[in-house]
Amino acid sequence: MKKQNKPFPHLLAPGKIGNLQLKNRVVMGPTETLYASSDGEITDKIIDYYVERARGGCGLITVHSAQGATKVDKIDPYPGSIRVDDNMYVPMMAELTEAIHRAGAKCTINVSTGGGAQSLGFPYDKGSQGVYNETRVAPGTLKSRFVGAPVRPLTKEEIKTMIDCFGYSCLNCKRAGFDAVTIHAIGGYLISEFLTPWFNNRTDEYGGSLENRYRLLHELILDIQAKCGKDFPIIVRWSVDEFLGDAGRGIEESKILAKWMEEDGVAALDCEAAVFETVEWMIPTIYQPKATLAYLAKEIKDVVSIPVFAQGRIFDAEVAENVIASGQADFVSLSREWIVEPNFVKKIEKGDLDGIRKCLNCNYCIGKRIFAQMPLRCTFNPIAGRESRFPKGSVGKAEVKKNVAIIGAGPAGLEAAYIAGQRGHSVTVYEASDRLCGGQLRMASSSPCKDILQHVPEFFKVQLERMDNVEIKLNTPVTESNVGDLNADYVLLATGATPLVLPIPGIEKAKIAQDVLLHKAEVSGNVVICGGGQVGVETALELLERGHKVSIVEMLPDLILKEELMTRIVMMKKLADAEVPVYCRHKVSRFTDGAVEIEDMQTGEKKLLACGDAVIAFGTKSDNKLYDMLSERFDEVRIIGDAQTPDTITTAIHDGFFAALDI
C-alpha cells in the first residue's frame, strides 16, 4: 500500500540543530512548573510531566529554567527552581533524559545564571525568609522596575566565577544525557540584564557598548564549548526586541548579536521578546495577534544561517505550518499549547485537528500560578501537573457504572460529562439553550479577540460525540414537569450563574452587560459602565470598538483586580489609550433618564454622569434553584461550577473534573 503524504509537510519535516537530528520542527518551549524538590532536584512529577509531551510527538523538549550558578546569584528566581550546579543533581537529571528519550523525543534544558534583579523568589538558604535579606545581584546599580528590590553590581571576580560555574553546570547536563543546552538569556533575567542598557550601566568591559554588553554571553558560550566540546549544540533563548524603545535593546542591535553568536558557534537561536517591564510581549495575551512574535524570528533568520525558532501565540497547527512554510523560522517553539495538549503533534500526524485541546490564552498557568509561586496548572487541562496520578491521561474506570444526569452544558458540565464518560458511566447532559456553553462563556467569547474561548464547546462537542455512552440533549430544560423523566443514579447540577441586578433606584433603566455583548440589547451615545471587573472592562473595550465613548464606575480601588497580570496590563493600556474616564472608589446611587448618579465612597460627594445608556456589570449570582427539587427525587445530587460559586472558567472546569472522579 502506498504511503500517504503527511499533512503539514513543513511542520512535520525532520530538522537539524548542529549535529542534533530532530524528527519534526516542533519544539516545546520551557514552561516553569515549580514541581522540583525543595533543594532544586528533578522529581518524578517533573519526569512524568515531560514524558507525556514526549509521547505526544514533540521533536525537541526544552526543560524549564535550571539554575547554574546559585552561589553567585543566591536568590531563587522562583521558589522551587531546578538546579544543575552540583553533581548531586545528575542522577535525577539522567532519569529525566532517559525517560524522554524512551518516549521518542530529544531534549535540551534552559540553563540560567540566575534571575538577577528580577528574581521573584527567596534565598536558596531555606528558612531565611523573614530572618535576613539577600541583596539581588545585577550588572550595575539599576534595579528592576517590576520587582523593585535593591541590587548590587557583580564584581569582575564574581562574573568569572559565575562563568566557570555555568560551564560546569552545562557539563552536568551533558553528562546526564541532554542532547543540547539552552542558554537562558530572555526576559530581563541576569544574562539578559547584561545585554540591555535598561539594566546594564556598568563602566568596565562588561558594560557600555554592545560589544561589552555581549561579553558575558560570549564568555559563557566559550566556556561551555571548552568544557562540553564544540560539537555539543548550544541554543540561545533571547529577547530580540525588548519593546522599551531607545531605553532598551531593539531589533537592529539584536541582528548584530545574532551574527556574533553564530560566529561563536551557537547552533540555534530561540527568538523571544521583552523584559518583565514589558511582560505582555514576553507572554502574549488574547489581545495580540496569532504568531505575534514570528516577525522577530524572520528578522534574525535574514541575517544568520543557523536555525531560528519562532514563538508567540502559535497555538494552531495551521499557523505553525505557515510560519515555517513562509520562511519566517526553521522551528516553532510552543509553550502553553504543550501544557494544555500533551498529544499536540501526535494528533496532527493522525489528522485529528478537531480533537486537539487548544490553549485558551488565559495565562492562568503563569499569571495565576507561577507568578503566585504556586505549581503549574492549566485551565483547560486539569491533568496538567497531575500526570503521575493519571498516567497517559487515563482517569481510570469506575468500579460501579452509573446513570449520570448533568444539568447544564457549560464548561463545568461538559468537563464532568467528558470525565464521567471516560470512566464508563452512562451520561446524559440536559441543556436549556440551543448550544453548548450558551451562558456565561458564550457572552465571554463574544468579542472578536476572545472567540478563542469557543475552543471549549468545540473540543467537547467533538470528544463527546465520539463516546457512545454520552448523550447531549439541547433545548431541554429540566423542570418540575419533566424531572421524572431523568433516569439517574447521580445528578450534577451545573446550571451556571445569572447577572446580578442590585436594588438601586432606577436600575430598570440600565442595560445588562451580558445582553449588550451578545447584541440582545443595543446602546446609544456615550455609555456609563457600572462595574469595573472583567465583564465591565470587556464591555467597555467592545463598545469602544463599536464607536461609543465610555466611562467606568467601580467601587474598588482599581479595575479588573482579579485579572491575571499580562492580560490586565494590555486591557488597562487600551483604556488609557482611549482616555476612558474611570471613577474608582465610587458607587452608583441611582439611575435617571440620561444620567447615572455616583457617589465618592471616601468623601460622600455625588455627581451625575450624563449618558445615552447605562450598562450594569455587577457580577453574577449562582443559579441553583433546581437543587431542592432534585434533592427530593434523587439520593446523589451535587452542585458544580458557577451554580455552586460564581468564579472563573478555570474553577468551573476543574470542579467538573473532580466531581466526575468522585462518581
Side-chain angles (χ1 to χ4, degrees):
M1 184 170 129
K2 187 176 179 181
K3 193 171 182 180
Q4 297 291 317
N5 290 329
K6 282 187 177 181
F8 302 95
H10 297 88
L11 189 65
L12 300 181
K16 200 170 185 181
I17 296 173
N19 59 8
L20 177 60
Q21 190 71 42
L22 301 174
K23 63 185 178 182
N24 57 48
R25 303 303 181 97
V26 186
V27 177
M28 178 181 178
T31 58
E32 185 60 64
T33 64
L34 303 191
Y35 301 155
S37 73
S38 61
D39 289 325
E41 192 167 11
I42 298 286
T43 60
D44 288 335
K45 189 171 185 175
I46 288 174
I47 294 172
D48 293 340
Y49 172 79
Y50 283 112
V51 165
E52 285 302 301
R53 278 80 192 160
R55 287 194 185 112
C58 186
L60 178 67
I61 285 177
T62 309
V63 173
H64 59 283
S65 178
Q67 307 312 314
T70 63
K71 295 299 184 183
V72 178
D73 188 334
K74 299 179 181 180
I75 299 179
D76 196 344
Y78 296 102
S81 292
I82 294 171
R83 288 178 60 182
V84 294
D85 59 343
D86 194 281
N87 289 337
M88 68 167 283
Y89 299 111
V90 173
M92 285 305 292
M93 290 162 62
E95 293 277 358
L96 172 61
T97 61
E98 290 166 5
I100 289 174
H101 289 152
R102 283 195 298 270
K106 303 294 185 182
C107 54
T108 180
I109 183 166
N110 195 31
V111 186
S112 173
T113 55
Q118 292 192 161
S119 288
L120 294 171
F122 303 99
Y124 292 102
D125 178 15
K126 300 296 183 276
S128 60
Q129 183 181 357
V131 179
Y132 71 91
N133 293 320
E134 186 75 52
T135 301
R136 286 160 173 76
V137 297
T141 59
L142 300 174
K143 64 183 181 181
S144 166
R145 284 83 160 169
F146 185 89
V147 176
V151 301
R152 69 167 182 84
L154 285 165
T155 66
K156 284 193 282 188
E157 291 73 20
E158 286 176 315
I159 291 173
K160 297 301 182 185
T161 300
M162 183 173 68
I163 292 167
D164 200 29
C165 290
F166 193 84
Y168 280 118
S169 293
C170 291
L171 179 59
N172 287 338
C173 297
K174 181 182 179 181
R175 290 173 52 218
F178 281 98
D179 303 289
V181 290
T182 298
I183 297 178
H184 187 311
I186 69 159
Y189 289 96
L190 191 51
I191 297 173
S192 173
E193 289 169 18
F194 272 84
L195 291 170
T196 175
W198 183 253
F199 282 106
N200 190 343
N201 64 350
R202 295 180 77 97
T203 57
D204 62 10
E205 65 266 36
Y206 290 98
S209 69
L210 181 62
E211 183 178 11
N212 283 355
R213 285 184 272 127
Y214 175 63
R215 192 176 307 279
L216 172 64
L217 180 52
H218 167 70
E219 293 179 356
L220 288 168
I221 293 166
L222 296 186
D223 198 72
I224 295 169
Q225 291 171 337
K227 291 183 170 80
C228 299
K230 289 194 174 183
D231 61 340
F232 186 55
I234 298 172
I235 302 165
V236 176
R237 181 175 169 87
W238 63 315
S239 298
V240 175
D241 192 340
E242 294 168 343
F243 293 100
L244 293 167
D246 293 338
R249 179 169 46 78
I251 294 172
E252 294 309 313
E253 278 197 338
S254 291
K255 287 180 179 179
I256 299 170
L257 290 179
K259 294 176 185 177
W260 290 348
M261 286 188 274
E262 181 177 23
E263 291 169 3
D264 281 345
V266 168
L269 297 172
D270 187 353
C271 298
E272 241 266 24
V275 295
F276 269 24
E277 285 80 359
T278 51
V279 69
E280 70 273 20
W281 288 106
M282 190 191 315
I283 307 164
T285 72
I286 56 171
Y287 291 97
Q288 285 128 305
K290 293 180 180 179
T292 186
L293 301 178
Y295 76 97
L296 296 178
K298 180 64 167 64
E299 292 278 357
I300 299 305
K301 183 173 169 58
D302 285 344
V303 299
V304 297
S305 58
I306 56 177
V308 169
F309 302 179
Q311 55 183 282
R313 296 204 71 216
I314 305 176
F315 301 145
D316 299 330
E318 297 88 347
V319 174
E321 170 73 11
N322 181 64
V323 166
I324 298 174
S326 64
Q328 294 180 84
D330 303 286
F331 292 83
V332 290
S333 177
L334 289 67
S335 297
R336 288 169 288 183
E337 180 57 33
W338 280 110
I339 301 173
V340 70
E341 181 51 88
N343 294 305
F344 181 70
V345 170
K346 184 184 291 184
K347 290 183 178 180
I348 294 171
E349 291 174 334
K350 291 180 177 179
D352 185 20
L353 300 186
D354 291 339
I356 293 175
R357 199 186 309 228
K358 296 179 182 179
C359 177
L360 304 180
N361 212 166
C362 65
N363 287 341
Y364 174 75
C365 51
I366 186 161
K368 289 292 189 179
R369 298 294 298 186
I370 300 302
F371 281 174
Q373 303 175 350
M374 300 288 284
L376 181 73
R377 293 284 184 265
C378 174
T379 286
F380 202 7
N381 177 12
I383 290 178
R386 299 183 173 102
E387 288 79 9
S388 301
R389 180 177 172 187
F390 304 104
K392 297 183 180 180
S394 173
V395 293
K397 295 295 182 181
E399 294 181 6
V400 179
K401 294 183 180 179
K402 298 180 181 180
N403 293 323
V404 179
I406 299 175
I407 304 173
L414 292 175
E415 177 69 20
Y418 181 49
I419 299 302
Q422 291 181 60
R423 287 175 53 74
H425 297 299
S426 178
V427 181
T428 305
V429 181
Y430 299 87
E431 168 57 37
S433 74
D434 62 352
R435 68 189 72 196
L436 302 182
C437 296
Q440 293 295 307
L441 187 136
R442 181 187 175 197
M443 176 274 300
S445 63
S446 60
S447 299
C449 67
K450 295 199 71 179
D451 58 358
I452 193 170
L453 293 178
Q454 284 301 311
H455 291 332
V456 175
E458 290 167 358
F459 173 80
F460 284 122
K461 181 178 186 297
V462 169
Q463 298 296 344
L464 297 180
E465 284 178 350
R466 294 174 179 177
M467 296 181 177
D468 294 335
N469 56 329
V470 177
E471 180 183 7
I472 298 176
K473 295 186 175 183
L474 300 177
N475 297 306
T476 310
V478 173
T479 64
E480 188 82 38
S481 61
N482 67 3
V483 67
D485 297 336
L486 271 63
N487 176 26
D489 305 305
Y490 203 107
V491 179
L492 292 176
L493 184 60
T495 41
T498 57
L500 181 62
V501 180
L502 299 175
I504 299 173
I507 198 168
E508 68 280 356
K509 302 177 188 295
K511 309 288 176 65
I512 295 173
Q514 287 85 338
D515 292 339
V516 172
L517 289 171
L518 292 172
H519 293 275
K520 292 181 179 179
E522 298 300 325
V523 295
S524 61
N526 297 346
V527 180
V528 175
I529 309 290
C530 304
Q534 186 177 33
V535 173
V537 174
E538 286 178 356
T539 303
L541 294 177
E542 172 68 13
L543 292 179
L544 287 171
E545 290 289 323
R546 296 183 196 176
H548 295 276
K549 291 185 177 180
V550 301
S551 54
I552 303 174
V553 182
E554 169 57 48
M555 295 176 67
L556 294 176
D558 209 342
L559 305 180
I560 42 174
L561 291 174
K562 292 185 178 181
E563 183 58 88
E564 62 84 20
L565 175 66
M566 285 70 70
T567 305
R568 183 175 188 271
I569 288 172
V570 176
M571 295 172 78
M572 293 297 284
K573 281 184 177 179
K574 285 180 174 288
L575 294 178
D577 289 345
E579 298 182 343
V580 172
V582 174
Y583 301 89
C584 289
R585 291 191 174 95
H586 281 73
K587 65 180 180 180
V588 177
S589 52
R590 65 187 176 99
F591 296 87
T592 67
D593 291 329
V596 177
E597 184 182 78
I598 63 173
E599 180 181 336
D600 188 315
M601 296 172 64
Q602 295 174 301
T603 66
E605 179 188 357
K606 293 184 178 181
K607 66 184 74 171
L608 283 175
L609 302 181
C611 61
D613 271 301
V615 175
I616 59 171
F618 292 140
T620 57
K621 60 179 180 179
S622 295
D623 180 4
N624 52 29
K625 56 183 177 292
L626 297 177
Y627 179 73
D628 290 341
M629 178 185 73
L630 294 168
S631 297
E632 291 174 0
R633 291 167 171 79
F634 301 97
D635 292 332
E636 299 280 358
V637 181
R638 179 170 174 175
I639 308 174
I640 61 174
D642 280 1
Q644 175 66 34
T645 304
D647 206 341
T648 63
I649 186 175
T650 308
T651 301
I653 289 176
H654 285 235
D655 211 10
F657 176 82
F658 286 106
L661 290 179
D662 289 341
I663 301 175

